[in-house]
Amino acid sequence: METIKISVRQFTILVILFSVGSSMLIIPGIIAKEAKQDAWIAAILGVGVALLLVKLYNVVGSIEPNMTLIEIIEKVLGKWVGKIVTIAFLFFTLVTSGEFLYFVGNFMSTEIMPETPILAFNILFAIVVIIGVRYGLETFARSAEIIFPWFIVLFVLFIILISPNVEIQNIQPVLEIKTKPMLHSVLLFISVFSLSPIVLLMIFPIAVNDAQQAQKAFFKGTFIAGIILVIIITLTIVVLGTEATAHLMYPSYALAKRIEIGNFLQRIEVIMASMWIITIFFKLIIYFYASVVGFAQLVNIKDYRPLTLPLGMIIVVLSIIVHPNIVESIQYNNGSWIPFGATFGLLLPLVLLIVAKVRKRT
Amino acid sequence: MWMSVLIVVVVVVMFTAEAIPLLKKGNIKEFRVFSVLLLFGTSLSIALSLKVAIPSPIDWIEFIYKPLTDWLQTTLK
Amino acid sequence: MNFFEKWVSKSFKESFERDSEQQQIEPEIPLHTSLQDNIRDIKKTLGNSTDIVIREVRIGKSGDQLIGIVYTDGLADKSAITDFIMETLMLNIKGTRLDKKIQSSTNILQLLKDYALTIGDIKDVSDFKTLYNSVLSGETLILIDGHAEGLLASTRSWQDRGVTEPSAESVVRGPRESFSETMRTNTSLIRRKIKDPNLWLETRQIGRVTQTDVAIMFIKGIASDKIVDEVRARLDRIDIDGILESGYIEELIQDDTFTPFPTVFNTERPDVVAAELLEGKVAILIDGTPFVLVVPALLISFIHSPEDYYQRADISSLVRILRYIGAFISLLGPSLYVALTTFHPQMLPTAMLISIASQREGVPFPAFLEAMLMELAFEILREAGLRMPRTIGTALSVVGTLVIGQAAVEAGLVSAVMVIVVSLTAISGFVFPSYSMSSTIRMLRFPMIGLAATFGLFGIIVGLIALILHLCSLRTFGVPYMSPFAPLILTDQKDTILRFPRWALLSRPRLINEKNMIRVENELTQKLKRGE
Amino acid sequence: MRRVMVISCLFIVIVPLISGCWSKRELNELAIVVAIGIDKVGEEYEVTVQVVDPSEVSASKSSGGRTPVVMYHAKGESMFEAIRKMTTVTPRKLYFAHIRMMILGEELAVQGIGQTLDFFTRDQELRADFYVAVADQSSAKEVLSILTPLEKIPANKMFNSLKSSSEFWAPTVPTRFDELLKDLESKGRNTVLTTIRIEGDPKQGTGKENAEKINNSVHLRYSDIAVFKNEKMVGLLNEEESKGYNYIRNKVKSTAGIIACPKGGIITTEVKDSKTKVKGKMAKGKPRIDVTIRSDTSIAEVDCDINLQKTETIAELDKIASEKLKGIIEKSLDTIQHKYKVDIFGFGEAIHRADPKAWYKLEKEWEEIFPELEVKLKVDVKTKGLGTVMNSLPKKQKE
């Protein structure tokens, strides 16, 4: 494994960009459907649960601070069971990478450039992801450091520009929601937002130069990402209203369409879309990095770089075949994704933890 | 059809650029893994370009998790 | 790159097979004792070149001591030779005590050196390789019959352009001197600015044929030893027939990556070099070129101008921001235009859209082609303007900009907006104080236009991400190219996008030097030192 | 690393090759639609679009021979069909992202607009920031065929005058498309739209000469407010009722009001700022609405004998103005509650916000409850300024 280390700050930024990633665009719609105007409360609760999960990941990460998740799996569960679990985990990361690629293409072709085939977006995006992964963790962590201020600037700008359109009545009455839809929406929020960070265990704590600080950074990053999401969810509901938020395919993009200051600062939603492309790039690149490094460790080869091209090719194909249409993708995200994500995001770390404890005792 | 030819060209370029140096350096294992993966990727891509219906892995996931998903849906509705 | 290597090695083999007639002078060959033999050998090796002057004189009371004087006409100072060598040896010592001594002593060389030659720098020489090197760089060789040794008198003097105003990097406020082609002049220009004994200079000859002097200059104690060692190692690795310009060295020592970005900084201004040396960087001076290389070169050093430090801090900060905006326009101007008009007309305000649409009415090319053509035309104009005799330069610019631009718009071949966009982009390209960076950005503009023409703004964003990834992967002499942005060093941000006032520029950049960080001693530094 | 470069270069070459430029559209291949009109003719939709001819509009070179806008129309069973059918007449592909106005024919408004609008929400090219108005006593097609002076593009004229009239003269309602959708979806509120009327003979307005006369004979004027029940138009509010509606909806930015002087004659006041608060309440099991209006005015024109320099006078004026405003609002409340019986004020939403539990019970029979709803009005008008003079000049001359 490479000895390259990234700084704690870079790790924090990666956590933020990773966690905001796809969530920014799809979460408002799916939880507004369940929680209506109280979606923001659900989001806050979701962030709370997410922090608990981060605690779990931190504990799992500290079982063997000098190993990636794949190595931990193999060590804790033994060679053969470990290999099988690893294969399942790689299946999870690869399919999810493909899915994110699908999101990119689908978003671009439904919202911005309808005539362009989704495949073209996916190939282009995959190429950049492959280049990034080949340059290595250190490089893309540094790029994240450069891009992050821009993301924050765009985000703050977004909030400022959209604020004249706020109609606070849209979130009233507060707390009208019943328990079940609340639970459901919190669950949906967690499933998108906080089951994925398990993938970060491929770089944490092994590749971060200060493991102790990195644990805090994990919390900090998740918390900041959570705040960003809560703000976006609240804004979509406050500006668009519950019904529109639930009906729209990409509510936060529609939100950006509302920006209009005077006669010149309008029609800038595509710039806002770039904010999302940046974050999903980092989400995808970490998933893909995890898949590639994981695969290299599975078959026991030292340099993961030769695997990037063929695996990149596979995720492009996956991105086309994962969902035949958008309806299936929504159904999957609201349905099977929850248990599927939970298997790796919740069950796997728990099992690892218990087995590791039991082994230590005996 | 043209798509498939293009894929083959791209794959050949990938192979020469990536696999041959591996072989020269004597990394047989890497070479094997690379070739197998590339073969897999190529066949998938060509199948896709010829519009062969490839089963989506999501379908398997949905099949496996169906009871759980249904349970979740019913209890939370 | 495999293919490239193969191609190179193939053509190399062919030329290798041909027999080389070039003589190799082994460093070990000693001088002969006989003057005649030596002169014969020299004549033979230099092929009786007509600019080599060989003079045989006799000195001593009886005139029986044969002495040979060899120098290169044009490189050596003739009057110095006449006044301080010929005259002394042939006239002044006649009848003196020295004259007698010469006759009796066997060590004439030492005697001449000690008593006769009134010239500053005298060296011994005992092998042919040094001999040729020195004679061909303007020194005068004195050979004495019967000795297998000779003397080299430093009489180097040749036509020098003199210290003139910098032509490529001009400033309104700041020193007006620039380097010239002579290395010694250049080192003196720097030494005049930094009178510290720690300013060290190491010289070596590079180039098998040209034997060019290359000097490394750094301030001991400020420059990081790691970087200095790395520079030494990289220079020693060079094995090439000739070095004619700093560009040769730049290409040979830069980090081994495939990149359009310059990772070695070059400048013709002594004040810039002095400033960089004070930051802990290493300068490489090459004889025969007014451009001095500075390593490690970070991205920001190409965007900063020396004038930033001579002007008020607030003004130079604003100017820097302006420069960053210019860089952005220069990179993305035409591609944004193409993306907006062909893919996202919804982003333009209605009135503007209608106005642009009316201008494009009847233009036969798609916007992409229009942009490419205009950019190409501009590049050709620029290159032609550089290459052509200076006297007709103005005529060209009139024809190029006014006539062609105006006529093309009138004829409806290109739209007026496109002309505006391209000119704006072209002008923005000149905000870079460094020419090499502006060439890079100009070059990158074309793939960006291509991406914009296929994927619109998505293409531009993806292109930018790829560009940032690439920039972050670069290193220059072990220092990340994008520092201090990535890895982010907060203390160094004082001199990146903004320039803080002088009293706040307390420390030297990190990563480049680990020790001797403090630049300014003031109350703040002392407070910090005391740990408050 | 070099291999990466080679491969990525290869991709960068290949991707454009296989892709071509799909979504690419040159500006001079676009027909920029600035206004769209929808009529219902029998079972079919008739879609009319107003397309800009850029070279006629641009500042630099106007050849002057043609009209600045061109109109196309087509019929179809669905919106999309009609629009696609239009390509048989249009020379270029229609581009919808820059629509400023949507005019709905009266016929269509009466029959219901909900289904019609789906296309406009589904298509990615369209933006929801244009205004929607209903054509009064004419078809949308006729409205779009009127050429306007001063502003070369009629759609821009409609857009701007709707915007400015709502800012300076209260009775119009500039409804953006997205607001309309929100209203249509909302359960607690019904929607209203401004109507636009052709003044003069529509046939005379279509030619270029209409824009060439000083006193052009045909105008487009925003007149009344059309009240919708769910998605069907049920009637019109007149100017004063419209103003009342805008007061309740807190949409008055500035307007003019005429009040009677105590001693005869009139004073015109300019409303500078107006704030309305609508609060729902359940009082003794019955819903009640409290409407509080605070309005700051200044005197704009005095046409009577009055001494404005006394505080008592100002207080008296305030009182008269409050009563007047109250009257206006009560009248429009009365019309809406008892004539149209449609909750266009969002009183239902107010109740929902105030007492969600009670709202669930009321929600189903809201239509019956609304006409009987008790609305408590509290109007408070304050005169803040007198303009640049204290008392008016004519008064001084009389003395």
Side-chain angles (χ1 to χ4, degrees):
Chain A
M1 229 359 248
E2 42 186 340
T3 49
I4 284 168
K5 296 268 176 180
I6 59 173
S7 73
V8 173
R9 184 191 289 116
Q10 286 167 344
F11 179 68
T12 318
I13 289 171
L14 279 180
V15 172
I16 296 171
L17 292 176
F18 177 85
S19 304
V20 173
S22 60
S23 330
M24 199 165 125
L25 213 52
I26 56 171
I27 275 194
I30 60 174
I31 72 169
K33 215 167 275 167
E34 292 298 327
K36 299 279 185 272
Q37 70 270 33
D38 289 322
W40 58 282
I41 300 172
I44 290 174
L45 290 177
V47 174
V49 181
L51 291 176
L52 286 179
L53 278 168
V54 169
K55 176 75 197 157
L56 175 66
Y57 298 147
N58 270 338
V59 174
V60 174
S62 54
I63 296 177
E64 281 296 341
N66 288 321
M67 286 189 180
T68 64
L69 181 63
I70 302 289
E71 288 165 324
I72 295 174
I73 290 173
E74 223 162 281
K75 192 182 169 204
V76 172
L77 299 180
K79 199 172 177 198
W80 287 109
V81 182
K83 288 258 189 244
I84 291 164
V85 174
T86 304
I87 290 170
F89 181 74
L90 291 177
F91 175 74
F92 164 75
T93 53
L94 269 177
V95 168
T96 316
S97 311
E99 221 203 330
F100 287 132
L101 208 51
Y102 165 79
F103 278 141
V104 175
N106 186 60
F107 170 73
M108 289 306 296
S109 72
T110 47
E111 290 286 351
I112 302 174
M113 290 154 72
E115 283 91 351
T116 313
I118 173 170
L119 182 66
F121 293 116
N122 294 359
I123 291 178
L124 185 72
F125 209 67
I127 289 172
V128 184
V129 170
I130 291 170
I131 291 175
V133 170
R134 290 189 74 120
Y135 275 145
L137 174 63
E138 202 180 15
T139 297
F140 69 73
R142 268 196 232 139
S143 322
E145 214 171 4
I146 288 184
I147 289 172
F148 185 67
W150 292 102
F151 170 75
I152 291 296
V153 166
L154 280 178
F155 182 68
V156 172
L157 209 69
F158 181 72
I159 295 173
I160 294 170
L161 292 179
I162 201 72
S163 54
N165 297 338
V166 166
E167 282 175 51
I168 205 78
Q169 303 158 350
N170 280 333
I171 54 165
Q172 292 167 327
V174 177
L175 269 178
E176 192 189 25
I177 188 173
K178 300 210 171 59
T179 333
K180 268 191 180 176
M182 182 59 131
L183 270 179
H184 194 190
S185 50
V186 171
L187 194 64
L188 286 169
F189 181 86
I190 299 167
S191 75
V192 180
F193 176 66
S194 54
L195 291 177
S196 316
I198 182 77
V199 180
L200 285 169
L201 287 179
M202 291 299 290
I203 56 174
F204 161 87
I206 169 171
V208 186
N209 59 11
D210 185 341
Q212 219 49 44
Q213 288 295 312
Q215 295 209 348
K216 274 184 204 155
F218 208 160
F219 279 115
K220 211 167 103 190
T222 313
F223 185 66
I224 294 172
I227 288 175
I228 291 174
L229 282 181
V230 169
I231 290 174
I232 286 182
I233 290 166
T234 316
L235 278 178
T236 39
I237 291 168
V238 159
V239 173
L240 296 174
T242 351
E243 277 88 5
T245 309
H247 282 188
L248 284 162
M249 199 88 78
Y250 300 109
S252 39
Y253 183 70
L255 189 64
K257 276 188 168 178
R258 286 292 182 89
I259 292 174
E260 194 181 322
I261 308 281
N263 276 328
F264 55 98
L265 254 185
Q266 50 184 2
R267 306 169 173 269
I268 54 171
E269 67 273 1
V270 180
I271 296 172
M272 293 305 159
S274 61
M275 190 163 80
W276 180 74
I277 290 173
I278 288 169
T279 53
I280 198 147
F281 172 77
F282 284 101
K283 186 147 197 164
L284 181 51
I285 203 170
I286 289 172
Y287 260 98
F288 189 57
Y289 179 81
S291 322
V292 173
V293 173
F295 204 96
Q297 288 177 346
L298 175 74
V299 294
N300 241 329
I301 56 180
K302 265 182 231 116
D303 188 11
Y304 66 83
R305 284 187 177 82
L307 302 180
T308 48
L309 282 175
L311 282 176
M313 211 163 160
I314 290 169
I315 64 163
V316 171
V317 176
L318 274 177
S319 75
I320 302 296
I321 61 172
V322 272
H323 300 305
N325 54 45
I326 185 74
V327 181
E328 293 238 352
S329 120
I330 292 168
Q331 211 166 22
Y332 166 72
N333 264 309
N334 294 349
S336 311
W337 163 254
I338 303 175
F340 182 48
T343 311
F344 295 99
L346 185 65
L347 193 63
L348 178 65
L350 281 177
V351 168
L352 284 178
L353 209 63
I354 293 165
V355 175
K357 276 253 167 80
V358 171
R359 282 208 166 179
K360 213 174 247 173
R361 235 174 250 170
T362 51
Chain B
M1 192 57 217
W2 279 112
M3 251 333 236
S4 322
V5 175
L6 202 79
I7 291 167
V8 171
V9 170
V10 171
V11 166
V12 167
V13 171
M14 279 186 194
F15 191 78
T16 43
E18 195 80 87
I20 307 280
L22 281 178
L23 205 58
K24 271 188 188 159
K25 270 184 236 154
N27 297 334
I28 303 297
K29 195 169 183 185
E30 272 93 336
F31 175 75
R32 273 192 203 141
V33 173
F34 176 83
S35 310
V36 168
L37 277 178
L38 192 67
L39 197 71
F40 183 59
T42 317
S43 40
L44 271 182
S45 318
I46 290 177
L48 191 70
S49 73
L50 296 174
K51 303 224 181 313
V52 176
I54 309 166
S56 164
I58 297 283
D59 294 343
W60 312 336
I61 296 167
E62 284 191 333
F63 177 75
I64 293 168
Y65 287 101
K66 199 165 185 327
L68 254 171
T69 318
D70 288 347
W71 177 77
L72 269 175
Q73 300 280 18
T74 45
T75 43
L76 289 170
K77 268 284 134 60
Chain C
M1 253 335 104
N2 219 344
F3 158 76
F4 200 61
E5 263 167 37
K6 249 184 212 162
W7 180 50
V8 170
S9 59
K10 200 179 169 192
S11 55
F12 184 69
K13 252 182 223 157
E14 279 168 18
S15 61
F16 200 66
E17 277 152 17
R18 289 187 211 127
D19 211 16
S20 170
E21 282 183 15
Q22 205 191 342
Q23 355 172 9
Q24 298 295 321
I25 295 147
E26 302 297 321
E28 298 88 39
I29 300 179
L31 292 177
H32 307 289
T33 349
S34 151
L35 179 66
Q36 297 309 324
D37 290 351
N38 279 335
I39 287 177
R40 196 197 59 232
D41 270 18
I42 291 170
K43 275 190 176 164
K44 198 184 145 208
T45 316
L46 295 175
N48 274 324
S49 297
T50 42
D51 61 340
I52 309 292
V53 178
I54 299 174
R55 179 78 200 276
E56 281 173 60
V57 294
R58 284 175 187 279
I59 61 163
K61 209 173 178 183
S62 48
D64 50 2
Q65 184 59 55
L66 200 60
I67 280 185
I69 294 170
V70 183
Y71 65 90
T72 313
D73 196 11
L75 290 183
D77 186 354
K78 262 190 190 163
S79 63
I81 296 170
T82 337
D83 292 351
F84 306 122
I85 300 175
M86 309 285 264
E87 209 176 304
T88 340
L89 290 179
M90 291 166 75
L91 301 174
N92 293 0
I93 61 166
K94 270 221 171 105
T96 56
R97 259 203 328 204
L98 186 63
D99 206 0
K100 279 178 206 150
K101 268 192 186 162
I102 286 173
Q103 295 216 305
S104 54
S105 169
T106 45
N107 199 355
I108 300 179
L109 276 174
Q110 197 58 41
L111 279 173
L112 286 181
K113 217 160 80 177
D114 290 351
Y115 300 102
L117 294 170
T118 49
I119 249 175
D121 187 7
I122 297 272
K123 279 183 291 188
D124 292 322
V125 63
S126 57
D127 65 287
F128 275 101
K129 182 150 177 126
T130 333
L131 185 154
Y132 291 128
N133 268 344
S134 311
V135 168
L136 291 175
S137 54
E139 286 173 28
T140 305
L141 171 73
I142 303 163
L143 288 168
I144 291 139
D145 192 27
H147 292 263
E149 266 179 291
L151 291 175
L152 282 170
S154 173
T155 52
R156 292 182 193 207
S157 162
W158 53 79
Q159 290 306 309
D160 189 354
R161 196 163 50 91
V163 177
T164 52
E165 257 191 64
S167 56
E169 299 161 60
S170 49
V171 294
V172 176
R173 181 170 173 185
R176 291 289 156 81
E177 55 190 11
S178 74
F179 290 122
S180 77
E181 280 75 10
T182 320
M183 195 173 86
R184 198 46 72 216
T185 321
N186 296 350
T187 53
S188 69
L189 283 172
I190 299 170
R191 184 105 31 210
R192 235 181 57 210
K193 289 192 190 297
I194 306 173
K195 301 173 189 75
D196 193 272
N198 288 317
L199 179 67
W200 286 10
L201 187 71
E202 293 174 19
T203 313
R204 63 198 67 209
Q205 266 94 31
I206 299 178
R208 280 192 314 274
V209 179
T210 57
Q211 293 293 336
T212 313
D213 284 331
V214 174
I216 310 174
M217 200 178 222
F218 59 93
I219 301 179
K220 180 77 185 162
I222 292 179
S224 141
D225 296 332
K226 255 195 325 213
I227 292 172
V228 177
D229 288 341
E230 184 67 34
V231 173
R232 280 193 201 114
R234 289 196 192 177
L235 283 177
D236 290 342
R237 229 166 41 201
I238 298 175
D239 187 10
I240 192 174
D241 58 343
I243 302 287
L244 296 180
E245 218 279 336
S246 56
Y248 286 51
I249 300 275
E250 179 177 338
E251 230 174 284
L252 290 166
I253 61 170
Q254 70 189 5
D255 290 62
D256 187 30
T257 34
F258 189 72
T259 173
F261 286 92
T263 50
V264 176
F265 185 69
N266 67 71
T267 178
E268 51 170 357
R269 300 180 57 92
D271 56 325
V272 173
V273 174
E276 300 278 25
L277 287 174
L278 284 172
E279 284 197 349
K281 294 181 185 172
V282 180
I284 301 167
L285 294 91
I286 295 113
D287 193 34
T289 169
F291 287 96
V292 170
L293 304 180
V294 178
V295 290
L298 309 178
L299 183 75
I300 51 166
S301 29
F302 293 93
I303 297 176
H304 294 175
S305 152
E307 209 170 351
D308 293 350
Y309 301 96
Y310 308 147
Q311 274 177 339
R312 293 174 47 80
D314 41 3
I315 290 166
S316 37
S317 297
L318 286 176
V319 171
R320 268 191 189 173
I321 291 171
L322 208 65
R323 226 177 273 145
Y324 280 97
I325 295 171
F328 187 75
I329 295 175
S330 166
L331 178 66
L332 294 180
S335 40
L336 278 178
Y337 174 79
V338 170
L340 284 185
T341 56
T342 53
F343 287 97
H344 316 285
Q346 78 265 27
M347 281 185 72
L348 299 165
T350 312
M352 192 173 170
L353 175 78
I354 291 170
S355 154
I356 296 178
S358 74
Q359 288 176 36
R360 275 202 57 83
E361 206 68 43
V363 173
F365 309 113
F368 166 67
L369 210 61
E370 203 188 350
M372 282 305 244
L373 284 176
M374 287 300 287
E375 282 295 330
L376 204 69
F378 165 71
E379 289 298 311
I380 291 170
L381 274 175
R382 194 191 53 79
E383 188 64 17
L386 277 178
R387 304 284 157 246
M388 73 184 349
R390 212 160 276 171
T391 39
I392 52 170
T394 37
L396 177 99
S397 59
V398 169
V399 171
T401 52
L402 293 175
V403 181
I404 295 186
Q406 183 79 16
V409 173
E410 295 263 299
L413 288 176
V414 291
S415 57
V417 202
M418 193 69 233
V419 176
I420 295 171
V421 169
V422 170
S423 350
L424 190 68
T425 315
I427 293 167
S428 305
F430 295 116
V431 297
F432 293 98
S434 154
Y435 181 71
S436 45
M437 185 52 89
S438 82
S439 318
T440 305
I441 300 289
R442 267 208 326 270
M443 215 181 86
L444 287 174
R445 198 142 76 201
F446 290 94
M448 276 296 182
I449 299 176
L451 277 173
T454 38
F455 289 97
L457 281 178
F458 178 75
I460 293 180
I461 290 162
V462 167
L464 280 181
I465 293 178
L467 192 65
I468 289 174
L469 279 172
H470 176 69
L471 279 171
C472 287
S473 76
L474 288 180
R475 276 171 177 276
T476 152
F477 287 81
V479 181
Y481 195 52
M482 286 304 274
S483 77
F485 293 125
L488 188 77
I489 301 165
L490 278 178
T491 50
D492 287 357
Q493 296 300 322
K494 61 191 182 299
D495 189 18
T496 50
I497 294 174
L498 302 176
R499 176 174 87 73
F500 282 23
R502 189 65 60 189
W503 55 263
L505 300 175
L506 295 177
S507 58
R508 297 176 213 288
R510 287 206 200 157
L511 283 179
I512 295 173
N513 51 312
E514 301 96 24
K515 48 201 174 176
N516 196 351
M517 293 293 293
I518 290 165
R519 300 187 84 153
V520 182
E521 284 286 346
N522 60 12
E523 284 167 35
L524 194 58
T525 351
Q526 272 144 24
K527 244 188 218 172
L528 290 173
K529 264 189 191 165
R530 287 199 301 271
E532 282 173 27
Chain D
M1 231 33 13
R2 295 187 168 197
R3 258 176 278 137
V4 181
M5 296 315 288
V6 169
I7 288 159
S8 49
C9 286
L10 189 88
F11 271 113
I12 288 167
V13 173
I14 280 173
V15 166
L17 276 182
I18 56 164
S19 60
C21 312
W22 316 269
S23 303
K24 202 181 78 151
R25 259 176 270 122
E26 295 300 331
L27 284 187
N28 43 356
E29 292 163 7
L30 292 181
I32 304 161
V33 178
V34 283
I36 187 162
I38 306 164
D39 287 306
K40 197 140 197 192
V41 180
E43 277 304 296
E44 281 188 321
Y45 289 115
E46 176 160 33
V47 179
T48 316
V49 292
Q50 199 176 71
V51 175
V52 182
D53 181 353
S55 53
E56 282 307 316
V57 180
S58 84
S60 56
K61 38 177 180 183
S62 166
S63 58
R66 296 174 293 184
T67 52
V69 288
V70 189
M71 206 180 80
Y72 296 106
H73 53 93
K75 283 181 192 161
E77 270 176 65
S78 74
M79 291 296 306
F80 192 67
E81 192 202 354
I83 284 170
R84 281 291 157 103
K85 228 187 224 173
M86 231 179 271
T87 51
T88 55
V89 269
T90 54
R92 297 170 178 175
K93 189 178 180 303
L94 294 174
Y95 185 63
F96 288 98
H98 282 267
I99 295 183
R100 312 312 303 273
M101 282 303 294
M102 175 190 265
I103 308 290
L104 303 170
E106 195 176 0
E107 180 78 29
L108 175 76
V110 171
Q111 287 185 20
I113 55 175
Q115 297 308 311
T116 320
L117 302 179
D118 181 75
F119 166 74
F120 295 93
T121 53
R122 206 170 280 280
D123 195 89
Q124 55 80 37
E125 196 173 270
L126 278 143
R127 307 170 52 86
D129 60 354
F130 50 86
Y131 288 145
V132 186
V134 175
D136 186 15
Q137 294 161 10
S138 62
S139 67
K141 191 172 149 192
E142 283 169 316
V143 171
L144 289 187
S145 60
I146 304 293
L147 266 186
T148 52
L150 214 58
E151 180 71 74
K152 277 182 177 173
I153 303 169
N156 265 356
K157 185 259 152 194
M158 290 188 256
F159 184 86
N160 292 335
S161 76
L162 184 50
K163 210 170 172 183
S164 60
S165 70
S166 76
E167 270 164 32
F168 300 108
W169 179 243
T172 51
V173 188
T175 314
R176 276 167 45 147
F177 185 68
D178 44 18
E179 289 163 346
L180 173 66
L181 287 179
K182 210 163 117 187
D183 285 357
L184 286 176
E185 273 169 359
S186 165
K187 282 176 195 131
R189 187 171 78 226
N190 284 292
T191 192
V192 297
L193 286 174
T194 289
T195 57
I196 191 164
R197 184 186 295 159
I198 306 168
E199 290 200 335
D201 181 9
K203 288 203 179 78
Q204 280 177 19
T206 54
K208 230 191 149 192
E209 54 280 7
N210 188 43
E212 279 166 355
K213 277 182 272 179
I214 290 185
N215 181 13
N216 57 327
S217 47
V218 185
H219 284 288
L220 288 173
R221 184 192 293 279
Y222 290 105
S223 41
D224 306 326
I225 286 180
V227 178
F228 281 72
K229 185 172 191 178
N230 296 325
E231 45 157 59
K232 288 184 177 137
M233 181 172 137
V234 289
L236 294 170
L237 295 181
N238 66 23
E239 194 165 82
E240 201 159 86
E241 289 160 352
S242 306
K243 200 190 235 179
Y245 165 80
N246 271 335
Y247 266 110
I248 297 177
R249 293 280 290 132
N250 192 20
K251 285 198 169 165
V252 177
K253 280 176 198 145
S254 174
T255 182
I258 289 173
I259 51 174
C261 276
K263 293 173 199 162
I266 54 163
I267 285 181
T268 314
T269 57
E270 181 190 355
V271 176
K272 294 254 182 184
D273 187 30
S274 175
K275 272 250 148 56
T276 308
K277 274 189 191 145
V278 176
K279 272 214 177 111
K281 208 191 251 174
M282 291 302 288
K284 295 169 204 155
K286 274 186 143 187
R288 199 183 85 192
I289 299 288
D290 291 336
V291 179
T292 321
I293 298 174
R294 268 207 58 136
S295 176
D296 292 345
T297 62
S298 75
I299 311 279
E301 198 180 330
V302 180
D303 201 8
C304 66
D305 185 16
I306 193 164
N307 185 5
L308 289 170
Q309 277 162 318
K310 277 202 261 172
T311 39
E312 297 89 59
T313 329
I314 302 290
E316 206 182 336
L317 278 181
D318 285 351
K319 216 178 150 197
I320 299 171
S322 301
E323 285 305 314
K324 173 91 196 262
L325 186 55
K326 206 170 176 183
I328 292 173
I329 294 166
E330 269 170 355
K331 192 161 169 286
S332 76
L333 266 176
D334 180 57
T335 315
I336 293 156
Q337 275 189 305
H338 301 118
K339 189 172 164 202
Y340 297 125
K341 301 186 173 120
V342 181
D343 180 8
I344 55 176
F345 300 112
F347 287 161
E349 279 180 359
I351 303 273
H352 183 192
R353 275 197 296 277
D355 197 338
K357 275 182 196 146
W359 170 246
Y360 289 131
K361 286 178 207 141
L362 299 174
E363 198 180 349
K364 276 167 206 142
E365 51 225 63
W366 185 244
E367 273 179 45
E368 287 90 66
I369 298 169
F370 177 71
E372 315 294 296
L373 190 67
E374 189 190 352
V375 181
K376 266 189 97 180
L377 264 179
K378 221 179 130 198
V379 180
D380 189 8
V381 180
K382 283 253 152 64
T383 307
K384 296 268 166 166
L386 298 179
T388 52
V389 290
M390 297 295 283
N391 279 331
S392 59
L393 295 172
K395 195 184 158 215
K396 273 183 187 164
Q397 280 162 357
K398 269 178 212 165
E399 280 170 359

